[in-house]
């Protein structure tokens, strides 16, 4: 009875919100009576209101929040609290925990019977949020299919547990069968990772379970813990897909997988690592269709962009992009190449691996086992009349030496190096054995880079920071200047309660000026070089980050997390 009254109030809410007219409502009632549907569904089917509009109106009527499940992360541990039959029966899915309460997305929040049933099943207080019927159905299919596949696989694995090491042939056969549960589970893991915008999948064996985590916006989140018995199957399947030797379990290996997931071309780099509980696998996902190839999209401040453009516009010299793994160095170099790529220039790259294919660019994949290393490839490249050379990474003295000499003989050389900031790149090259006078002559510009999470536009909140906060963060505030209005992370359904969604790059651009060249030749320390670079107008990573905090793009806490 209460549910029927709730639906009547929902229809009144639609009228008040101007989403439907009285005539449309009358037509909807007639269609509902004819087909035995709820009136809301009839209005959606007739095209008078969207599924989302209906759910939002219902949420407003009951003073509840609306959740968009297509843009929200769902906690797999919360889903496990409610069995699949109950979720389908009540058109609901648990989405997360909030203290001792379980937050559940429902289509019909007036269904008190369903709420009581959920309370009894989970032995927790229930907090309701409203979602569309299509989103709830899709989420149920997605998450419970994963659980079902894991459950089915666990039963199958338990039956052949004693044969795990006895017959490698059987493991290969099982992992390669198209209809095997292991195939479905691995496919679900990859598909879900793409849906959640994950950059990496970590499959980590522990003593009693297998832990699976996704890295989203640079932060790891645990998504499921299937039983230990599925470990051998998942490992074998992924090794076969990546063309890795499945018989070798004692040494690290790597391979790659090319897939089309949800209409996107996805390139996956697979790395295995032997641990005490078995092999850990890390899958790095590269979405070829969505790579940013415009420098203007990478978050450069105008001052930094002008300095960088001046360097890559020169016909020769060496440009280095530095930063840790996963800081977007390759994306910056590809975006630069995209500007430089013209019919009149010959561009050759040597990479490990070739992450994205660029039309009009000659790209070489290293193959150390066949003797094709960065150094050997570079020697061959210089005999192929290049104008611009991209080296995936300078890892050793030989590669650094050839790259430096190439920059001195009329080539524009772009590469990456692992250092903490821009000035450290100069001393790092000297430490690798390159003569200081060669470094000072060849190197034209160094860009240090980090990635910081963007605040979620839907839920970020403005606040007035205290003087103490600003001092602790070394936030630049001029004397007599009003305290800035900053934003902080809150968390909502759109960002999975993290308060952040997407990432922007922080940059430190250091052109190698005459003064810096002199310090290099004199073997000056990185601190001395940094001091001079700042005097000459270099914006440090921290100050670039604080400028983005001031612009409302990210938060002080996030900048302090990624920059020393």
């Amino acid at each position: 009875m209460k549910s029927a009254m709730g639906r009547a109030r929902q229809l009144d809410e639609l009228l008040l919100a101007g989403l439907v007219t009285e005539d449309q409502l009358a037509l909807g009632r007639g269609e509902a009576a004819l087909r035995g549907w709820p009136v809301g569904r009839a209005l959606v089917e007739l095209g008078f209101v969207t599924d989302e509009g209906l759910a939002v109106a219902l949420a407003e009527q009951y003073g509840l929040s609306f959740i968009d499940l297509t843009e929200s992360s769902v906690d797999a541990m919360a889903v496990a609290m409610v069995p699949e039959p109950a979720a389908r029966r009540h058109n609901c899915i648990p989405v997360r925990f909030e203290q001792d309460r379980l937050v559940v997305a429902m289509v019909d929040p007036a269904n008190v019977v369903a709420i009581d049933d959920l309370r009894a099943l989970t032995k927790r207080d229930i907090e309701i949020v409203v979602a569309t019927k299509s989103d709830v159905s899709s989420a149920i299919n997605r998450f419970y299919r994963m659980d079902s596949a894991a459950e089915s696989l666990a039963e199958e694995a338990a039956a052949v547990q004693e044969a795990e090491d006895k017959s490698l042939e059987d493991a290969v056969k099982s992992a390669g069968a198209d209809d095997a549960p292991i195939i479905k589970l691995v496919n679900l893991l990859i598909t879900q990772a793409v849906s959640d915008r994950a950059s990496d999948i970590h499959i980590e064996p522990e003593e009693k379970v297998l832990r699976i985590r996704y890295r989203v916006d640079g932060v790891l989140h645990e998504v499921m813990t299937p039983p230990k018995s599925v470990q051998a199957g998942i490992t074998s399947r992924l090794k076969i897909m990546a063309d890795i030797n499945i018989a070798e379990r004692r040494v690290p290996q790597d391979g790659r997988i090319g897939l089309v997931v949800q209409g996107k071309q996805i390139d996956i780099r697979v790395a295995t690592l032997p641990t005490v509980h078995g092999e850990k696998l890390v899958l790095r996902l590269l979405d070829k269709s969505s790579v940013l190839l415009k420098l203007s999209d990478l978050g450069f401040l105008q001052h930094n962009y002008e300095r960088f453009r001046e360097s890559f516009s020169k016909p020769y010299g060496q440009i280095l992009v530095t930063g840790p793994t996963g800081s977007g160095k390759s994306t910056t170099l590809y975006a630069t190449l995209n500007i430089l790529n013209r019919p009149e220039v010959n561009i050759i790259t040597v990479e490990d691996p070739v992450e994205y294919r660029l039309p009009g660019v000659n790209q070489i994949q290293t193959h150390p086992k066949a003797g094709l290393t960065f150094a050997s490839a570079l020697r061959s490249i210089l005999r192929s009349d290049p104008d611009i050379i991209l080296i995936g990474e300078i890892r050793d003295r030989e590669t650094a030496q050839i790259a430096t000499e190439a920059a001195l003989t009329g080539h524009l050389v772009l590469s990456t190096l692992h250092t903490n900031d821009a000035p450290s790149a100069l001393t790092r090259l000297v430490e690798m054995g390159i003569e200081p006078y060669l470094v000072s002559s060849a190197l034209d510009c160094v860009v240090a880079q980090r990635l910081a999470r963007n605040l979620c536009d839907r839920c970020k909140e403005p606040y007035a920071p205290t003087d103490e906060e600003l001092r602790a963060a070394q936030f630049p505030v001029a004397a007599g200047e009003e305290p800035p209005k900053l934003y902080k992370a809150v968390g909502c359904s759109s960002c999975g309660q993290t308060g952040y969604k997407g990432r922007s790059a922080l940059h430190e651009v250091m052109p190698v000026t005459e003064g810096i060249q002199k310090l290099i030749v004199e073997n000056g320390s990185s601190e001395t070089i940094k001091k001079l670079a700042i005097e000459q107008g270099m914006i440090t990573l921290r100050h670039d980050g604080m400028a983005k905090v001031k612009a409302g793009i990210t938060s002080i806490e996030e900048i302090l997390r990624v920059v020393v």
Side-chain angles (χ1 to χ4, degrees):
M1 184 67 179
K2 284 184 181 178
S3 181
M5 288 173 63
R7 290 192 190 99
R9 289 204 304 271
Q10 172 196 352
L11 298 175
D12 291 340
E13 187 70 23
L14 286 171
L15 277 171
L16 289 170
L19 295 175
V20 296
T21 64
E22 289 188 12
D23 290 343
Q24 288 174 333
L25 187 53
L27 285 170
R29 286 192 171 117
E31 186 75 5
L34 185 66
R35 297 183 178 272
W37 289 343
V39 180
R41 181 183 171 186
L43 290 170
V44 172
E45 295 290 339
L46 289 167
F48 295 150
V49 66
T50 63
D51 206 6
E52 185 175 331
L54 196 67
V56 169
L58 186 56
E60 287 177 0
Q61 177 63 46
Y62 285 95
L64 301 172
S65 298
F66 169 77
I67 183 170
D68 185 346
L69 292 174
T70 61
E71 296 186 354
S72 306
S73 61
V74 175
D75 188 338
M77 299 297 287
V79 173
M81 296 288 290
V82 176
E84 183 181 357
R88 291 194 183 278
R89 185 168 65 251
H90 299 312
N91 270 328
C92 67
I93 186 164
V95 290
R96 62 180 179 273
F97 296 102
E98 281 193 2
Q99 296 172 346
D100 291 332
R101 301 190 307 278
L102 180 66
V103 179
V104 179
M106 292 187 71
V107 176
D108 181 8
N111 190 342
V112 290
V113 174
I115 297 169
D116 289 342
D117 192 17
L118 292 171
R119 193 177 288 116
L121 277 169
T122 62
K123 296 180 173 56
R124 285 176 180 264
D125 287 334
I126 304 297
E127 181 177 324
I128 301 300
V129 291
V130 183
T132 65
K133 187 174 182 179
S134 57
D135 280 0
V136 170
S137 297
S138 176
I140 288 173
N141 291 336
R142 188 166 76 242
F143 288 97
Y144 285 107
R145 268 172 49 208
M146 186 180 284
D147 288 349
S148 300
E151 209 172 293
S152 166
L153 189 57
E155 290 172 9
E156 186 179 318
V160 292
Q161 184 71 33
E162 67 280 0
E164 183 183 332
D165 295 316
K166 183 176 70 179
S167 173
L168 190 60
E169 256 179 53
D170 290 345
V172 176
K173 188 177 177 183
S174 169
D178 285 341
D179 60 347
I182 198 79
I183 301 283
K184 296 173 185 174
L185 181 58
V186 169
N187 289 347
L188 279 170
L189 286 174
I190 295 172
T191 304
Q192 184 60 38
V194 172
S195 297
D196 289 353
R197 302 178 298 105
S199 60
D200 303 85
I201 304 173
H202 290 246
I203 299 170
E204 303 165 319
E206 296 188 352
E207 188 177 356
K208 296 180 181 177
V209 295
L210 189 67
R211 184 165 66 152
I212 297 174
R213 297 190 289 172
Y214 292 164
R215 186 180 293 280
V216 181
D217 292 336
V219 178
L220 284 167
H221 302 274
E222 188 170 308
V223 291
M224 69 180 297
T225 51
K228 182 80 171 175
S229 51
V230 304
Q231 179 182 325
I234 289 178
T235 303
S236 297
R237 170 59 183 164
L238 285 168
K239 280 185 163 186
I240 287 170
M241 291 172 74
D243 198 22
I244 294 173
N245 181 2
I246 73 166
E248 181 56 76
R249 305 175 185 176
R250 300 164 298 173
V251 296
Q253 299 182 80
D254 57 80
R256 64 189 305 161
I257 303 168
L259 293 174
V260 176
V261 181
Q262 297 174 355
K264 299 176 182 176
Q265 187 73 32
I266 304 294
D267 199 32
I268 303 173
R269 288 192 287 178
V270 181
T272 71
L273 191 68
T275 72
V276 290
H277 296 304
E279 285 180 286
K280 170 186 168 85
L281 285 90
V282 178
L283 283 65
R284 190 166 192 193
L285 279 61
L286 302 165
D287 181 357
K288 296 181 184 178
S289 63
S290 66
V291 62
L292 288 171
L293 292 180
K294 290 184 179 178
L295 275 176
S296 55
D297 293 333
L298 300 183
F300 276 93
L301 295 179
Q302 189 61 32
H303 173 76
N304 282 338
Y305 180 75
E306 293 296 338
R307 288 182 139 214
F308 184 43
R309 187 176 64 177
E310 189 178 329
S311 293
F312 69 68
S313 298
K314 294 178 182 177
Y316 56 86
Q318 187 176 26
I319 296 173
L320 293 178
V321 181
T322 76
T325 302
S327 61
K329 300 187 297 295
S330 296
T331 302
T332 298
L333 288 179
Y334 279 125
T336 307
L337 276 191
N338 198 44
I339 294 174
L340 298 172
N341 188 7
R342 302 185 305 276
E344 60 268 25
V345 295
N346 178 24
I347 302 175
I348 305 179
T349 77
V350 52
E351 305 166 64
D352 181 25
V354 175
E355 294 185 358
Y356 303 106
R357 271 69 169 180
L358 295 178
V361 176
N362 306 283
Q363 295 174 274
I364 300 170
Q365 167 73 57
T366 60
H367 199 309
K369 289 179 183 175
L372 185 62
T373 61
F374 279 114
S376 63
L378 266 175
R379 279 192 291 269
S380 300
I381 285 172
L382 291 172
R383 292 193 291 271
S384 301
D385 186 32
D387 295 300
I388 299 169
I389 302 169
L390 185 146
I391 306 164
E393 184 184 343
I394 293 178
R395 297 177 180 172
D396 52 52
R397 183 188 179 281
E398 191 178 7
T399 306
Q401 186 75 37
I402 299 169
T404 303
E405 289 170 0
L408 288 169
T409 53
H411 304 92
L412 181 61
V413 180
L414 310 175
S415 190
T416 70
L417 196 66
H418 287 279
T419 62
N420 289 329
D421 58 12
S424 300
L426 310 178
T427 52
R428 173 76 181 123
L429 287 173
V430 174
E431 286 164 6
M432 289 174 84
I434 310 303
E435 291 294 338
Y437 72 89
L438 289 177
V439 174
S440 68
S441 301
L443 196 57
D444 191 73
C445 182
V446 184
V447 179
Q449 185 166 310
R450 295 289 189 281
L451 290 178
R453 292 179 295 170
N454 294 340
L455 285 165
C456 173
D457 286 330
R458 289 195 180 185
C459 65
K460 66 181 182 182
E461 277 187 3
Y463 76 103
T466 63
D467 291 341
E468 191 178 331
E469 267 184 276
L470 296 175
R471 276 196 302 273
Q474 297 175 25
F475 191 93
V477 180
E481 187 183 341
E482 286 289 320
K485 182 177 78 171
L486 305 182
Y487 291 84
K488 61 182 177 182
V490 178
C492 66
S493 58
S494 176
C495 59
Q497 303 303 318
T498 62
Y500 298 95
K501 192 170 184 181
R503 289 190 288 178
S504 290
L506 312 179
H507 301 100
E508 183 176 277
V509 181
M510 186 187 78
V512 179
T513 61
E514 286 185 17
I516 290 173
Q517 285 178 335
K518 187 178 177 184
L519 286 177
I520 297 170
V521 173
E522 294 171 353
N523 283 317
S525 67
S526 58
E527 280 302 314
T528 308
I529 294 170
K530 183 175 182 177
K531 186 177 178 183
L532 177 59
I534 291 171
E535 287 173 6
Q536 294 179 344
M538 182 183 81
I539 298 172
T540 64
L541 284 167
R542 178 187 279 263
H543 280 80
D544 186 84
M546 291 307 172
K548 290 177 169 70
V549 169
K550 200 169 184 177
I553 296 169
T554 187
S555 66
I556 286 179
E557 292 76 18
E558 180 63 9
I559 297 303
L560 296 180
R561 184 183 73 85
V562 297
V563 180
V564 176

